[in-house]
Amino acid sequence: MCFVSRDFRVPLTCNTCVTAQTQFRPSGAPAAMMTEELSEFTAPKGGVETSPTVKSEEMSTAEEQPIFAALVGDTSATAAAAGEKPGGGAKAPAATAVMSTTSDTESGIFSGESETCVEHESELDWFCGTELKLICSHCAIVGPCHGHTVTPLADRVTAVRNQLVDACEKIQLQALRMERFIDHTLTVKEQKLQVEASTARERVVARVSAAREALEEEEQRLLEEVQREEERVEQCLLTQRAHWGQAMASLTHTRARLVHTLTHSPDAQLVTSIQEIGERVEEAEGVGKPCDTEQLNMKPGCSDSQLLRGIWASAMMHRPNVYSLSSLKFEERTANPLLSLSDDRCTLTFLHKKPRQPLPYDPARFDCWPNALGSLSVSSGTHSWALDVGQSGAFKVGVCYAGLQRKGSGDEARLGHNDQSWVLSHYDGEYSFWHGGEKAPLRVAMRPQRVGVLLDWPSQTLLFYEPESAAVLHCVTHHFCAPLLPAFAVTDQSITILH
């Protein structure tokens, strides 16, 4: 009774059939009938016998080709090998047989270093997945591997080769990412470092020049700090470049070894060295991925200090070219309905109840938050304005872009809670600076009755100060990309613009 094994797709023959074949076998026929039958199933469909010379030439040709071309083969050549001449039905010329042989040689079926089974003296053309070793067809049928998970050697070799191809491609992509990081990101960082360092030096020198006699020592200290920061970032960049360059070299070496294993290892050695291959792939994956970190940037505060900031603010406030916005008033169109304006539009008072007569709709008006904007915008020069906050326990003063959202109760229209506004806030007895929804607590020794705002557009600096003592409350440097409007908010008593 004949049957088909569930573990691999070859016809099997029972003992009765073997006996029958032996009885009816013509005299002089080979004794290993079962082996011959299995050879018919495992032989190439084309039936083309390949000479060792042809195989050797094809293998040497494949070695000279690129790695992926050697793996997948020439699809056009394969298609030509499978074609027939129209009409006559004759097979293609000898080149067709050579191409077919090349495909079989690459798959490992006709490996020049094939081994034979010691027990059955048959070719080891199967792979036992249970015991991870090469076996012959007899071992799979009636031998020690009967019932195990077995696959044809050619299929196993193909699977291992595919894994190697995937690993090599992955490593190549990883190396390309590192190369782009080295050539682009680090190069841009180096260029950016020069610009930032130059800008920091100019800022330090500009501020120290306002009071050079008192700040010569501070100037030297800050320049040295900038120098140290520049050297630190530069060292980080050099370290990153060296590290990822070495990592890329290691990946290249690992990939070269895998490619060598892929192209030069015999099939038997290839399928049995999968553990070593896996270790190399794992080692390559453990190199990691490059990423941009804050260590590659200069610290924004390296060119600043409390002493320098205070003296510079004092000098700026007393310079003759500081323009006071003498005509600044609250813009009536922007004031929230809960805010009442004086006749001269210089005093803003918070109302606990909305007026009985609703205000006409205006797209510029804040309809939820108790905000109001100034009537003048600033986009150049140095300007200052002051506000009398009196005994108000809740107010905000600062600047914002004209595009600040006016409608709704979301953070988009709330001063200091978006990237469109910068304000000093006083609420519940605490002073703080707000921008982008982030709060920076401020230390104020004495509650100021007046708060001044100074905007130096050339240095992109916003300064909050106490006008009488010229004490600096807070200072921030930011790249303002559009004209700024004075911004205000009050939820307790009144605030007044001083002229």
Side-chain angles (χ1 to χ4, degrees):
M1 180 178 180
C2 298
F3 60 95
V4 178
S5 170
R6 291 175 299 177
D7 297 325
F8 48 88
R9 299 178 180 178
V10 297
L12 303 181
T13 310
C14 61
N15 293 332
T16 304
C17 295
V18 172
T19 304
Q21 292 171 357
T22 306
Q23 291 176 355
F24 292 96
R25 182 177 64 246
S27 59
M33 178 63 70
M34 186 175 181
T35 305
E36 294 177 359
E37 293 177 353
L38 290 173
S39 300
E40 294 177 0
F41 289 100
T42 58
K45 292 183 179 181
V48 180
E49 188 68 24
T50 306
S51 64
T53 303
V54 175
K55 290 186 287 184
S56 176
E57 293 176 356
E58 294 297 328
M59 292 176 66
S60 63
T61 304
E63 292 177 357
E64 295 175 358
Q65 297 175 352
I67 176 60
F68 299 111
L71 289 174
V72 300
D74 191 347
T75 56
S76 61
T78 304
E84 295 182 356
K85 294 183 178 180
K91 295 183 178 179
T96 305
V98 173
M99 294 177 184
S100 177
T101 303
T102 302
S103 177
D104 292 335
T105 302
E106 292 173 350
S107 65
I109 297 177
F110 297 107
S111 175
E113 301 184 12
S114 61
E115 301 177 1
T116 58
C117 178
V118 178
E119 181 178 356
H120 302 102
E121 298 183 354
S122 299
E123 183 180 356
L124 299 178
D125 54 358
W126 291 81
F127 180 78
C128 178
T130 304
E131 298 186 9
L132 300 178
K133 66 178 183 179
L134 300 178
I135 60 174
C136 68
S137 57
H138 295 283
C139 292
I141 300 172
V142 297
C145 293
H146 176 68
H148 292 179
T149 301
V150 298
T151 55
L153 178 59
D155 294 347
R156 180 64 177 177
V157 170
T158 300
V160 174
R161 288 181 183 275
N162 289 338
Q163 293 178 7
L164 282 175
V165 171
D166 294 340
C168 292
E169 289 180 347
K170 187 175 182 180
I171 292 175
Q172 185 179 17
L173 291 176
Q174 189 176 2
L176 288 175
R177 284 194 294 268
M178 292 183 182
E179 182 180 2
R180 286 195 296 269
F181 179 78
I182 293 175
D183 295 340
H184 178 70
T185 304
L186 296 184
T187 301
V188 171
K189 288 294 180 181
E190 289 177 345
Q191 297 174 354
K192 183 180 178 181
L193 171 62
Q194 300 300 323
V195 174
E196 290 179 347
S198 176
T199 302
R201 290 190 185 95
E202 292 176 359
R203 184 181 303 119
V204 169
V205 173
R207 291 181 176 179
V208 171
S209 62
R212 180 167 298 278
E213 292 182 359
L215 293 176
E216 287 182 352
E217 182 178 355
E218 185 71 358
E219 177 188 17
Q220 184 65 29
R221 186 186 71 82
L222 290 174
L223 289 176
E224 291 175 355
E225 181 67 20
V226 171
Q227 182 69 23
R228 285 193 297 269
E229 186 66 9
E230 180 184 12
E231 292 175 356
R232 182 193 66 80
V233 177
E234 187 175 15
Q235 183 62 39
C236 288
L237 293 175
L238 292 175
T239 302
Q240 289 282 310
R241 182 179 291 275
H243 172 75
W244 293 114
Q246 183 179 1
M248 187 174 66
S250 176
L251 284 178
T252 303
H253 177 69
T254 301
R255 181 177 178 275
R257 294 178 63 185
L258 290 175
V259 171
H260 183 272
T261 302
L262 179 65
T263 55
H264 294 80
S265 298
D267 295 341
Q269 180 181 354
L270 187 65
V271 298
T272 56
S273 60
I274 188 65
Q275 182 178 358
E276 179 182 357
I277 295 173
E279 292 176 355
R280 294 179 182 176
V281 174
E282 184 177 359
E283 177 184 356
E285 293 176 348
V287 172
K289 298 179 181 179
C291 60
D292 188 4
T293 63
E294 289 298 324
Q295 296 296 326
L296 301 179
N297 299 320
M298 288 187 63
K299 295 180 181 179
C302 69
S303 61
D304 197 11
S305 69
Q306 184 175 0
L307 175 61
L308 174 63
R309 187 167 56 247
I311 297 181
W312 174 84
S314 299
M316 291 298 296
M317 285 182 287
H318 292 87
R319 287 176 62 181
N321 59 346
V322 176
Y323 298 100
S324 176
L325 299 181
S326 56
S327 59
L328 176 64
K329 299 179 183 297
F330 294 112
E331 178 57 55
E332 184 177 4
R333 293 181 54 200
T334 65
N336 182 273
L338 288 175
L339 301 179
S340 174
L341 280 177
S342 60
D343 294 338
D344 60 358
R345 294 192 296 139
C346 291
T347 300
L348 197 64
T349 304
F350 177 73
L351 303 176
H352 293 279
K353 294 182 180 181
K354 289 185 177 180
R356 295 182 179 180
Q357 185 68 26
L359 297 175
Y361 175 82
D362 195 317
R365 191 184 308 280
F366 292 93
D367 61 354
C368 289
W369 296 105
N371 303 336
L373 302 182
S375 58
L376 302 176
S377 64
V378 177
S379 59
S380 63
T382 303
H383 302 271
S384 68
W385 59 95
L387 199 69
D388 186 354
V389 297
Q391 299 299 317
S392 175
F395 66 87
K396 291 180 180 178
V397 56
V399 295
C400 70
Y401 291 135
L404 180 69
Q405 183 69 35
R406 311 297 174 88
K407 306 300 181 182
S409 60
D411 289 340
E412 294 79 8
R414 190 178 183 185
L415 293 179
H417 288 260
N418 48 68
D419 59 358
Q420 302 283 308
S421 55
W422 298 257
V423 295
L424 182 144
S425 173
H426 174 56
Y427 181 75
D428 199 16
E430 295 182 352
Y431 289 85
S432 57
F433 173 78
W434 284 84
H435 172 66
E438 295 184 1
K439 176 183 179 181
L442 304 179
R443 294 182 178 180
V444 178
M446 183 178 296
R447 178 177 176 176
Q449 298 293 316
R450 298 179 178 182
V451 175
V453 180
L454 187 146
L455 178 61
D456 183 39
W457 192 268
S459 66
Q460 299 282 278
T461 301
L462 177 65
L463 177 73
F464 299 94
Y465 63 98
E466 203 281 313
E468 294 183 358
S469 63
V472 177
L473 302 177
H474 187 67
C475 182
V476 60
T477 299
H478 186 84
H479 177 66
F480 302 113
C481 57
L484 295 172
L485 289 170
F488 313 90
V490 59
T491 57
D492 181 49
Q493 300 188 30
S494 301
I495 56 176
T496 301
I497 297 176
L498 299 175
H499 295 136

